[in-house]
Amino acid sequence: MESPAAHNDVLQLAAQLEGLRLRFSSRDTLLFDGVSLRIPRGQKVLLLGPSGCGKSTLLKVLTGLIPEAIELPVEWELRKPLESGGYVFQDPDAQFCMPYVDEEIAFVLENMGVPRSDMPERIRYYLRRVGLAFEDPHRPISTLSQGQKQRLALASALALEPETLVLDEPTALLDPKGTTEIWEHVRTLGRDKTLLIVEHKIAEIVDFVDRVLVIDQEGSLVADGGPEEVQKNHRSLLDRYGIWHADSWAVHDQQYEVAQLSQKNPANTDLPPLLEIDQLKGFYEDEACINMPEVQVHEGEWITVTGPNGAGKSTLLQALMKLIPTKGMSHWKGEAIKNTEQLASEVGFVFQNPELQFVAQTVYEEVAFTLWQKNISEQQVDSEVQRVLKQFGLTEFEDENPYRLSTGQQRRLSVASALVTDRELLLLDEPTFGQDAGNTFAILEELERYRKAGTSLLMVTHDPEIVRRYATRVWEIEDGELKADYAGERVGEQNTGVGHAV
Amino acid sequence: MKNRFKLKLSDILVTTVVALVFGVIYKLWGPLYYAIKPLGMHLEQLIYGMWFIAATVAFLLIRKPGVGLLAEIAAASGEFFMGSEWGLAVLLSGVAQGLAAELVFAAVGYRKYSVSVAVAAAAAATVGSLLLDSLQGYIGDLALWNLSLLIVFRLTGAVIIAGWMAHWLVSALEDTGVAELVRPVGTATVDPD
Amino acid sequence: MLYKKKYSSWLHRINPALKLVLLMGGIIAVLFIHNVNVMIPLVAALAGMLLIGSGQPIGRVLLFMLPFLFVFVSTGSSMILFGKGETLWWQWGPAVISRESFYRGVHIGLRALSFGLIGLLFALTTRPVLLFYSLMQQFRLPPRYAYGFMASLRLLPLILEEFKTLQKAYKVRGVDSVKGWKGWWQKLRLYAIPLLAQSIRRAQRIAVAMEARRFNKSIQRTYYYRPGFSSEDGLMVICWVGIFAGAWIVGVQWPLFEITDVRFNE
């Protein structure tokens, strides 16, 4: 017989799991083999682990989505799923089913059986709570920023009036501003709720949680404790799993030495500039979205392009590459740029989503593809491909389909295939976005190596830490204009970020 | 086992999304079809089979009953809402072609996913479309040589596009790993065999 | 999508499910009209209804009607040239124009035109979301089909965006250098696979998100939009039946041609 105290204990639990065993039907090995977990009501739990360790899967088992919505071979000795959980997922574009903001929240209210007459008021109420007080909530979701979309997802979760909020990497695809806004709202809204959070960037949330769980590559719980305790005693684990914590960059600074550049401008200004821009305008759907004054890019520069969402940073890269209609002049090594083909062999371009630029069916061919376009022997191609795969840590995957790689590996592959031939200029659209710390550092290290060898880099990024450490020059873009152009902090002592406005 | 054949929300969503991608192609196919048509000799019939491909791709991908029909109707609705030249009649075509293809999938017990099943379904869809055409376009009243040409060309195109090419597309999708996400787990147990 | 939010007319306010049934009924009715004299006033009436009743600027409607004329000519011509017939009018090689095939060809052309017009009438005046709400409430369409459709329609613009990105990426990587059949084949894979793979994954995630919002646990579903019926719907029924009945009367009473059945079977 259970003691009354133990019974009481169970009542106090928001969720319980004993002896969970689970595997993906396409794999031969078990993701979880005997995991047990108890989550008391009101506890705020942060789940950490390397990518692919099954954190999200564990959340889905705890909420009952596995096996109700997703069928997987799974069994347990005992499971008490969360009775009511409001869920926010990672991808802002893959969690809504209706085209308009009001309709999306109405969808939740419909599921709950809320009377029609109460809906408009409730919709406004939930939107207000996440700071989306639109005058008319009947507005297309597609007009919202990614950060606003995630807050809308939070509002839909709240509309379930849940006891628990479940957040599955809600900020992975957000810029720093969007990230801060989400966590601000979670802090107020989640105060009296149970909270289950999976995250890669923990600095802004870790002090709010009561408990941190760390899962390792094999799907076992390797650490379980208060946030201070885990951060203090298991720091090396966090670093090994690439989790962004408050001191990640300090760890980076110990491991990687980014050379301070003594000259005012590291670029060899004696040589003629690689790229000259003169009043270049880029158009998107007949509207001028970027307007560049007269600027030059020299050999060996690492220019970071920064600015708020929608400022025109990506448009700038596309305009330079002539991927969108442009007006004005730009020159590549003294020659007027007329089309993309003219640049394609000397200038590389890395897009944001690697899956939308893969051309081959294996990792090897993906890298080799770039070389096949040049007239070189197959032997030479092979040795070059092997060299680059090794350099980017992809050798063991050479026969894999690029789609089967993790997002981090995909990102490295897209950079690798752009860099396999000697580029003089590489344009990168947020190459470290959404990446864990380990992968980010690895990509930056490779880029710096190429920069030293003379490749110029023009890179869009939101991360001020990267700008501070790596940029030799910074372009700030706002409302489609170049607002400022100054030397990076790593260049000389006299230039500590105080630049000149254009 | 009993749930193996029931369509879940995710099956429906994946089917309709795949179908809508093909719906866009269906819509673009209309002008192409009419561009070829003036060449005469029913050459345009060789590309007619593209309008059957949603059914075979969806079935080969998701492997459940009903998805072939659902995909064909969804693709036709998508084509319709984008302003098809055939207007609401595409929905009738969608139903006729989807039903015909679905009959083939049912005949193999929804357990075979080979090229031959895809080819048979494409041929069945051709028959379905011809039946509707005899009602709608009096094709039975074409001169015999002309009608034979139409049937042979349409069938050939269908077998190549909606049969063989559909199968090839799904194999390429299998290589990317996404097919595993959408197929029924069936009797798989936690302990691998 | 043909539907645009900014236009509105009484046809927009008709119950969408009713509109679908009426218009589909119209199409099936057309399949049983074999008298070319009836088709002519019918097509005229449908065109009139579209121009007056769609709430759109006439220019926009005419623009959409343009391809139909092409379809009319194209659909009709093969029957005119290669159809069976007894009374020969003209012959050139395999092409034979007979009296029978000519009228049958014109009839088929008009039929295609009427399908197109009826389709436009629906697509220009119906918001897909409201159609699915109406189908759920008036015809008990299971919600998982209705919401599944609505969710996938939302993905279309994203797919289009990805298509454009792919185009740019392939341009940068110098993909479109291969010409001919092999190039066509390669291109098919290069566009179809990423677009399908992305869409499938996204669809899967959306389905999970919908279930996380207790879609399947709904016991007593309520509806945000409740398309009902009003006197305008009655007017629509009368109007629609009237168009077909009127065309029939006009065609039978005042025939333009002496032919009453283009099948010439009897």
Side-chain angles (χ1 to χ4, degrees):
Chain A
M1 238 226 35
E2 264 181 77
S3 69
H7 182 69
N8 210 14
D9 237 25
V10 172
L11 275 183
Q12 290 307 309
L13 287 180
Q16 187 182 6
L17 202 55
E18 304 290 341
L20 170 74
R21 306 178 75 230
L22 176 149
R23 119 184 126 87
F24 288 123
S25 24
S26 57
R27 306 249 175 89
D28 291 337
T29 49
L30 265 60
L31 184 59
F32 295 117
D33 194 356
V35 169
S36 300
L37 188 62
R38 290 168 167 227
I39 295 165
R41 273 181 212 282
Q43 195 172 56
K44 290 154 182 49
V45 185
L46 179 61
L47 269 163
L48 305 175
S51 61
C53 74
K55 306 174 296 265
S56 302
T57 311
L58 191 59
L59 283 191
K60 290 187 183 111
V61 176
L62 284 170
T63 47
L65 283 174
I66 294 176
E68 277 168 35
I70 306 166
E71 284 175 27
L72 287 177
V74 59
E75 59 186 37
W76 51 73
E77 282 151 29
L78 185 138
R79 185 189 69 158
K80 178 185 185 248
L82 290 167
E83 274 155 35
S84 70
Y87 226 124
V88 178
F89 294 88
Q90 181 183 27
D91 185 350
D93 286 316
Q95 53 184 318
F96 303 122
C97 60
M98 302 297 289
Y100 284 84
V101 169
D102 59 333
E103 293 168 354
E104 185 58 38
I105 296 182
F107 167 73
V108 182
L109 300 176
E110 290 170 347
N111 295 341
M112 307 271 290
V114 172
R116 166 69 180 85
S117 50
D118 295 352
M119 285 187 190
E121 196 195 323
R122 286 238 211 162
I123 290 170
R124 283 177 187 281
Y125 169 72
Y126 292 119
L127 285 175
R128 254 199 328 270
R129 295 195 70 185
V130 298
L132 293 175
F134 301 122
E135 203 168 301
D136 179 9
H138 189 68
R139 118 203 317 259
I141 295 179
S142 54
T143 62
L144 304 187
S145 72
Q146 298 299 81
Q148 287 176 318
K149 284 182 197 167
Q150 287 302 70
R151 279 188 281 150
L152 172 61
L154 187 58
S156 321
L158 289 175
L160 290 165
E161 293 291 342
E163 279 172 32
T164 308
L165 279 179
V166 184
L167 308 156
D168 190 354
E169 294 200 50
T171 70
L173 300 174
L174 300 188
D175 60 7
K177 184 167 160 275
T179 305
T180 306
E181 280 169 350
I182 279 281
W183 290 135
E184 266 171 18
H185 285 100
V186 169
R187 277 163 190 267
T188 33
L189 299 167
R191 200 167 290 142
D192 53 354
K193 293 188 195 308
T194 312
L195 229 52
L196 282 181
I197 305 170
V198 164
E199 253 306 342
H200 251 116
K201 304 181 275 184
I202 65 168
E204 287 190 59
I205 192 67
V206 72
D207 58 331
F208 183 63
V209 301
D210 310 317
R211 181 179 176 193
V212 178
L213 295 169
V214 185
I215 303 175
D216 72 358
Q217 206 82 53
E218 273 74 50
S220 326
L221 279 174
V222 286
D224 181 354
E228 288 89 31
E229 187 207 327
V230 171
Q231 284 190 94
K232 209 167 79 198
N233 300 344
H234 301 281
R235 254 277 294 275
S236 62
L237 269 185
L238 301 190
D239 288 328
R240 192 181 328 142
Y241 297 159
I243 290 151
W244 286 109
H245 52 81
D247 297 324
S248 288
W249 281 104
V251 175
H252 164 272
D253 293 343
Q254 287 162 15
Q255 280 173 0
Y256 304 91
E257 201 177 323
V258 184
Q260 275 287 318
L261 302 163
S262 51
Q263 309 152 255
K264 187 162 181 252
N265 189 343
N268 196 340
T269 33
D270 301 337
L271 292 170
L274 277 179
L275 181 71
E276 294 163 272
I277 303 170
D278 189 6
Q279 312 295 337
L280 187 72
K281 272 191 169 92
F283 293 83
Y284 191 76
E285 279 167 6
D286 293 334
E287 239 175 279
C289 288
I290 185 76
N291 189 5
M292 291 296 284
E294 201 184 320
V295 273
Q296 278 121 29
V297 179
H298 286 89
E299 196 184 304
E301 282 195 290
W302 185 330
I303 304 176
T304 57
V305 183
T306 64
N309 266 334
K313 304 183 296 292
S314 303
T315 320
L316 168 63
L317 296 195
Q318 298 191 7
L320 289 179
M321 203 70 194
K322 295 273 176 205
L323 289 169
I324 53 172
T326 55
K327 265 190 197 140
M329 289 297 279
S330 52
H331 287 84
W332 175 248
K333 295 199 266 181
E335 232 175 279
I337 305 172
K338 295 197 191 73
N339 52 41
T340 310
E341 289 75 16
Q342 187 186 343
L343 299 172
S345 66
E346 288 168 297
V347 182
F349 197 119
V350 178
F351 287 83
Q352 226 180 63
N353 183 351
E355 288 199 351
L356 295 179
Q357 59 186 310
F358 290 147
V359 295
Q361 284 157 302
T362 68
V363 168
Y364 181 95
E365 287 173 20
E366 187 60 39
V367 179
F369 182 88
T370 315
L371 296 170
W372 284 335
Q373 289 166 323
K374 318 210 144 195
N375 252 340
I376 51 176
S377 73
E378 197 55 33
Q379 211 178 348
Q380 229 175 325
V381 169
D382 187 63
S383 72
E384 281 298 291
V385 173
Q386 297 299 353
R387 177 183 62 82
V388 170
L389 286 181
K390 190 159 169 242
Q391 202 176 323
F392 283 85
L394 293 166
T395 306
E396 55 177 313
F397 307 106
E398 63 174 351
D399 295 323
E400 228 12 290
N401 188 300
Y403 275 80
R404 289 186 184 254
L405 301 180
S406 72
T407 54
Q409 293 160 346
Q410 287 186 337
R411 202 67 70 114
R412 293 208 300 273
L413 176 59
S414 64
V415 177
S417 48
L419 282 173
V420 66
T421 83
D422 293 322
R423 304 289 191 181
E424 291 179 64
L425 174 64
L426 189 61
L427 309 178
L428 304 118
D429 199 349
E430 305 200 53
T432 61
F433 187 54
Q435 298 298 302
D436 66 29
N439 213 24
T440 301
F441 299 159
I443 290 174
L444 290 173
E445 188 192 10
E446 286 310 321
L447 290 177
E448 172 66 9
R449 186 211 298 252
Y450 279 91
R451 189 202 64 78
K452 268 194 209 148
T455 303
S456 307
L457 305 165
L458 194 60
M459 178 172 105
V460 174
T461 181
H462 274 120
D463 194 334
E465 302 287 345
I466 296 179
V467 175
R468 199 154 71 79
R469 285 173 179 79
Y470 285 93
T472 67
R473 191 170 161 194
V474 183
W475 288 357
E476 277 177 21
I477 308 279
E478 224 180 292
D479 296 325
E481 304 278 343
L482 181 62
K483 276 272 139 43
D485 173 3
Y486 50 85
E489 277 182 47
R490 64 187 285 198
V491 180
E493 306 237 322
Q494 65 276 47
N495 289 293
T496 40
V498 200
H500 66 276
V502 178
Chain B
M1 223 19 227
K2 68 176 195 294
N3 276 336
R4 192 179 107 95
F5 281 163
K6 195 181 167 254
L7 286 193
K8 294 179 301 170
L9 175 68
S10 63
D11 298 324
I12 293 169
L13 244 161
V14 172
T15 307
T16 44
V17 167
V18 168
L20 282 178
V21 174
F22 285 111
V24 177
I25 298 175
Y26 284 17
K27 169 70 189 81
L28 300 175
W29 221 241
L32 181 65
Y33 179 80
Y34 279 113
I36 300 177
K37 203 162 179 174
L39 296 179
M41 291 298 113
H42 289 308
L43 279 176
E44 78 282 355
Q45 296 298 328
L46 283 171
I47 65 162
Y48 199 100
M50 183 59 94
W51 283 304
F52 311 149
I53 197 174
T56 41
V57 167
F59 172 72
L60 294 177
L61 187 67
I62 299 162
R63 302 183 167 181
K64 283 192 177 183
V67 293
L69 175 61
L70 177 63
E72 196 59 17
I73 294 176
S77 329
E79 184 189 357
F80 166 69
F81 275 114
M82 281 174 271
S84 165
E85 286 82 3
W86 288 273
L88 266 176
V90 291
L91 283 182
L92 287 184
S93 304
V95 172
Q97 296 155 10
L99 262 181
E102 190 69 34
L103 282 178
V104 172
F105 304 140
V108 297
Y110 299 103
R111 275 163 208 285
K112 275 191 165 158
Y113 323 104
S114 58
V115 189
S116 41
V117 169
V119 165
T126 310
V127 174
S129 72
L130 286 169
L131 284 178
L132 195 65
D133 275 356
S134 67
L135 205 67
Q136 182 177 315
Y138 305 123
I139 55 166
D141 289 333
L142 285 171
L144 187 61
W145 66 269
N146 202 273
L147 178 63
S148 320
L149 210 59
L150 182 146
I151 293 176
V152 169
F153 280 1
R154 189 180 292 186
L155 189 64
T156 313
V159 163
I160 293 173
I161 300 173
W164 185 69
M165 198 174 89
H167 190 267
W168 171 81
L169 265 180
V170 175
S171 313
L173 272 176
E174 281 167 0
D175 291 342
T176 67
V178 293
E180 292 151 16
L181 290 175
V182 298
R183 286 186 181 155
V185 176
T187 52
T189 52
V190 173
D191 291 298
D193 323 303
Chain C
M1 294 293 120
L2 287 182
Y3 176 83
K4 285 271 177 302
K5 200 184 160 197
K6 62 178 173 183
Y7 305 110
S8 163
S9 75
W10 70 280
L11 281 173
H12 287 72
R13 295 189 295 271
I14 304 300
N15 181 288
L18 174 75
K19 206 193 304 177
L20 183 67
V21 169
L22 283 178
L23 270 49
M24 274 312 255
I27 284 192
I28 290 167
V30 167
L31 285 182
F32 292 96
I33 297 174
H34 305 292
N35 186 342
V36 69
N37 296 307
V38 176
M39 280 312 286
I40 293 167
L42 181 65
V43 165
L46 289 173
M49 186 167 181
L50 187 62
L51 286 173
I52 300 164
S54 70
Q56 327 255 334
I58 290 198
R60 185 173 137 95
V61 180
L62 287 176
L63 192 73
F64 286 127
M65 281 167 71
L66 213 59
F68 296 155
L69 292 176
F70 188 49
V71 173
F72 169 71
V73 174
S74 168
T75 309
S77 60
S78 51
M79 178 55 77
I80 292 177
L81 290 174
F82 305 112
K84 280 191 245 174
E86 311 268 292
T87 325
L88 285 193
W89 280 358
W90 181 81
Q91 181 163 18
W92 187 77
V96 182
I97 299 183
S98 66
R99 177 172 154 271
E100 291 85 349
S101 70
F102 176 78
Y103 285 116
R104 205 183 297 121
V106 171
H107 189 82
I108 294 174
L110 287 172
R111 204 177 249 189
L113 202 54
S114 71
F115 289 166
L117 292 172
I118 293 174
L120 262 192
L121 209 53
F122 189 82
L124 286 176
T125 64
T126 313
R127 189 177 166 224
V129 166
L130 292 184
L131 170 67
F132 288 112
Y133 268 89
S134 181
L135 287 175
M136 278 192 284
Q137 291 168 74
Q138 267 89 47
F139 287 128
R140 310 253 149 249
L141 175 71
R144 54 182 210 284
Y145 288 96
Y147 287 96
F149 255 89
M150 289 191 277
S152 19
L153 280 178
R154 206 187 85 79
L155 289 180
L156 269 184
L158 288 177
I159 295 171
L160 203 70
E161 205 50 49
E162 287 178 349
F163 177 75
K164 287 188 201 152
T165 308
L166 281 172
Q167 274 183 318
K168 289 176 188 163
Y170 293 151
K171 205 167 168 193
V172 166
R173 300 203 58 188
V175 168
D176 42 15
S177 45
V178 193
K179 295 271 179 300
W181 267 106
K182 213 180 148 202
W184 191 86
W185 204 239
Q186 185 194 37
K187 238 180 225 150
L188 178 74
R189 176 176 67 77
L190 285 175
Y191 285 99
I193 299 304
L195 290 180
L196 285 174
Q198 300 274 348
S199 319
I200 290 167
R201 243 186 260 150
R202 206 174 267 145
Q204 180 84 13
R205 285 189 195 138
I206 291 178
V208 173
M210 286 167 74
E211 303 223 7
R213 280 161 203 162
R214 260 171 264 168
F215 178 67
N216 271 350
K217 298 215 174 103
S218 169
I219 303 159
Q220 191 80 57
R221 173 169 297 281
T222 50
Y223 295 100
Y224 186 50
Y225 294 120
R226 287 184 299 182
F229 295 97
S230 71
S231 53
E232 281 175 322
D233 293 292
L235 187 68
M236 174 71 193
V237 175
I238 294 168
C239 197
W240 193 243
V241 174
I243 282 181
F244 279 80
W248 185 261
I249 293 167
V250 171
V252 172
Q253 289 293 320
W254 300 282
L256 274 170
F257 307 105
E258 75 273 32
I259 287 149
T260 54
D261 191 330
V262 294
R263 290 171 300 174
F264 300 96
N265 286 341
E266 285 78 4

